[in-house]
Amino acid sequence: MGASTRAALSALGAATVAVSGYLSQDVLTGVVLALGLVFAAGWPRLLSLPTVRGGSLVIALTALAAVVVVRLAALSDIALVMGLAVVAAFVHQMLRRDGRPRLVESVAGVVSGAVVVASAAGWLAVEGGTVTAELVVTAAAAIAAAAAVTAVRAPTRLVAVLATVAGGGVGLLTGSLLDGVGPVPGLLVGLAAGILTAALHILFGRFPASRRVRPALAAGLLLVLASGVPVYLVSRLLSA
């Protein structure tokens, strides 16, 4: 699993979110949930956690609960979902019968995965209407551009800087072209995508590579899922 593979998966995931955002909220909900479940299946394997199945189950249930809560209530209630996810992570460890090796690492890995899928629900909390679709497209374009830069073979720090600049630049350009977004919100969401992309590029640059399918999918989708809350915050700025 190289940088080019992660970039392609991130761009594909971002494009899928963009198209579904234009279609309908229900389609977007299904896509976000599906991406969350794929991530759940690969994240424990990517981190080489001692309990893969149990960790995937906790993360998958968190993804499902987050989507349901956001659709039926509000994003602010996601804190309850995260609280229950932490409890579920500890219960999962209590049910282990292998002597519980690497206990702290296992709990931290599961909880971090739960945070990612909970953040993904932010895509669904964006205000409805044309603004939603245009903001989703702006964010997805910035993510795709920043992710594409990480495929360049260059020093890690240089690539991180270029990814941030590319995300901000594409966000600014796309936001300027879409009346429902505007240049400043487009720049903000683009910078958020670029900074997150840069941070993940540095992280995976130091992380053991995995050529297995599910871990690779989890690594590629991490950027798209984690961007949900930043996109929601920009949507709040637009609706203020």
Side-chain angles (χ1 to χ4, degrees), residues 9-234:
L9 290 172
S10 296
L12 178 60
T16 303
V17 170
V19 172
S20 61
Y22 254 120
L23 293 177
S24 71
Q25 186 76 350
D26 291 336
V27 175
L28 181 60
T29 300
V31 167
V32 170
L33 178 58
L35 295 180
L37 295 178
V38 172
F39 174 84
W43 182 248
R45 290 175 170 81
L46 180 64
L47 300 184
S48 299
L49 298 183
T51 53
V52 172
R53 293 182 180 179
S56 293
L57 179 60
V58 172
I59 297 172
L61 291 177
T62 302
L64 177 60
V67 168
V68 171
V69 166
V70 171
R71 286 303 304 267
L72 299 182
L75 186 63
S76 58
D77 296 322
I78 208 72
L80 176 60
V81 174
M82 273 310 307
L84 293 175
V86 172
V87 173
F90 279 102
V91 171
H92 164 238
Q93 298 303 316
M94 293 172 62
L95 295 176
R96 290 174 60 183
R97 294 293 181 267
D98 57 354
R100 302 190 185 94
R102 301 162 57 198
L103 177 61
V104 175
E105 180 183 346
S106 182
V107 172
V110 173
V111 171
S112 64
V115 170
V116 172
V117 295
S119 178
W123 288 103
L124 309 177
V126 180
E127 298 295 328
T130 304
V131 174
T132 299
E134 293 184 349
L135 181 60
V136 168
V137 169
T138 301
I143 291 171
V149 171
T150 61
V152 177
R153 292 187 177 182
T156 301
R157 293 185 179 180
L158 176 60
V159 173
V161 172
L162 293 177
T164 303
V165 173
V170 171
L172 175 63
L173 177 61
T174 308
S176 300
L177 296 176
L178 299 176
D179 296 332
V181 180
V184 175
L187 176 62
L188 290 176
V189 74
L191 285 176
I195 292 172
L196 182 58
T197 303
L200 292 177
H201 178 68
I202 294 174
L203 172 64
F204 284 119
R206 301 175 180 176
F207 205 80
S210 174
R211 299 185 182 279
R212 292 173 295 172
V213 175
R214 282 183 283 187
L217 288 172
L221 294 178
L222 176 59
L223 173 61
V224 179
L225 297 175
S227 299
V229 167
V231 172
Y232 166 75
L233 294 177
V234 174

